[in-house]
Amino acid sequence: MTTTFITGANKSLGYETARRLIEAGHTVLLGARDTGRGQAAADALGARFVQIDVTDDASVAAAAADVEAREGGIDVLINNAGVLGPHHPADQLTAADASAVLDVNVVGIVRVTHAFLPLLRKSANPVVVNVSSGMGSFELTHDTTRAEGRVVAPLYTASKAAVTMLTTQYAKSWPDVRVNAADPGYTATDFNGHSGPQTVAEGTDAIVALATIGPDGPTGTFRDRHGDVAW
């Protein structure tokens, strides 16, 4: 039985990922910051809720300790928690705004991965999936025929570019762990007022595919539901 821990899994992409992986036979540990919403989501899916705030060292350490005590280890870590950040014009963005976005989207991944890596290494097939975005692709954000090239979101795009680079560096550092980045694509979620043309199921295709790879699967890649995404 594959045990999978997902951050930010009480709604949207995280919730759908949890649902699909449970359907595929995974034991899913549903991580969320809000205890009420997280427990309700876990109850609805048949997952186990684990409270975690990816911006808080103590919370992350407690979550890892809880999983170690209950499950002993995990096979898959999906770093899904993320924020869009403020909708301010670029000249109104502050250092505090940047710190808040980066603390969730980038530092949060480092914090969680650091805490859960010892639990992952107990697995015969340890896998990490970092949920990035085509909004962090240099090529796609310069293509004005695509949605990624028409949206201006300095902090979110910068954070997702960092997530993708962090992914490739982790993959190089840990040859025993499959580490990949997933681009959900323009999906109808709370992030965009449900304006995306993709369904939430389509948006989780790449995440689920990368979460279910075998020991001979890819590492250090950046993929959406159609294949590799341009850097």
Side-chain angles (χ1 to χ4, degrees):
M1 183 77 72
T2 300
T3 301
T4 300
F5 186 88
I6 310 172
T7 65
N10 63 290
K11 65 177 183 176
S12 299
L13 293 171
Y15 184 90
E16 178 65 8
T17 298
R19 185 194 69 78
R20 291 182 64 179
L21 290 176
I22 290 170
E23 190 175 75
H26 288 217
T27 295
V28 169
L29 308 178
L30 189 151
R33 180 178 57 182
D34 185 282
T35 300
R37 293 175 183 175
Q39 188 64 64
D43 290 345
L45 290 172
R48 184 169 86 81
F49 170 62
V50 179
Q51 195 279 333
I52 186 170
D53 179 346
V54 303
T55 68
D56 184 271
D57 288 342
S59 174
V60 172
D66 176 63
V67 172
E68 183 173 25
R70 291 282 296 272
E71 284 76 26
I74 62 172
D75 302 288
V76 181
L77 171 64
I78 302 177
N79 286 306
N80 169 74
V83 295
L84 183 60
H87 295 277
H88 302 329
D91 58 354
Q92 294 180 22
L93 294 172
T94 66
D97 293 331
S99 293
V101 172
L102 294 172
D103 196 25
V104 177
N105 294 1
V106 184
V107 181
I109 288 179
V110 175
R111 190 177 280 118
V112 173
T113 304
H114 174 75
F116 279 82
L117 189 59
L119 302 183
L120 273 167
R121 285 200 158 124
K122 295 182 180 183
S123 172
N125 179 34
V127 170
V128 176
V129 181
N130 294 324
V131 179
S132 187
S133 171
M135 292 287 290
S137 161
F138 285 84
E139 181 168 326
L140 297 188
T141 54
H142 283 82
D143 182 351
T144 56
T145 66
R146 297 181 58 103
E148 293 92 342
R150 297 190 298 271
V151 175
V152 178
L155 301 182
Y156 181 76
T157 55
S159 74
K160 290 304 184 178
V163 168
T164 305
M165 179 59 78
L166 185 63
T167 300
T168 65
Q169 293 297 305
Y170 276 165
K172 289 181 179 181
S173 301
W174 307 326
D176 58 321
V177 183
R178 308 289 89 189
V179 188
N180 294 284
D183 171 20
Y186 191 12
T187 303
T189 66
D190 292 349
F191 260 31
N192 52 49
H194 296 271
S195 63
Q198 288 188 161
T199 66
V200 71
E202 291 171 328
T204 57
D205 280 348
I207 304 170
V208 170
L210 290 170
T212 54
I213 59 174
D216 58 347
T219 192
T221 67
F222 182 25
R223 296 187 172 184
D224 65 10
R225 63 193 299 260
H226 304 293
D228 290 339
V229 177
W231 303 111

